[in-house]
Amino acid sequence: MKTNIQVISTENRKGRSKTGNDYDMNICQCVVHEETPEGLQKKIGELVLPKGHPVVSEGMYEGHFGISIGQDKRISGRLIQLTPLRTAVPAAGAGAKP
């Protein structure tokens, strides 16, 4: 599944959990842009980048998601990768009058 995601900010969180395990994760504050029959819907939330994912900066991305099954056997989505969306760049001289 693909979804357009606007990254507003990123934060790295490191520490040690209550169980004594170390953690190091990158979390993005995002706006999800979703087309629905009623029009464009925007939803705000956090997105945890997978381990080893390149660091992202503010901007528009296409989110590629897969399916995961948790320890509780619940099926949910998981981020596979964020790919920067390329904006159209006008060709040299485009829009100029002869």
Side-chain angles (χ1 to χ4, degrees), residues 34-82:
E34 181 181 21
E35 279 293 336
T36 66
E38 293 81 32
L40 180 66
Q41 300 289 316
K42 294 181 182 180
K43 299 176 184 173
I44 299 170
E46 289 186 334
L47 186 60
V48 178
L49 296 179
K51 288 184 181 181
H53 191 285
V55 176
V56 299
S57 57
E58 292 181 22
M60 290 297 295
Y61 293 84
E62 183 174 65
H64 301 267
F65 292 87
I67 299 293
S68 69
I69 300 174
Q71 292 177 339
D72 59 358
K73 302 296 182 200
R74 291 198 177 184
I75 298 171
S76 62
R78 68 178 175 86
L79 177 68
I80 296 171
Q81 183 174 0
L82 288 178

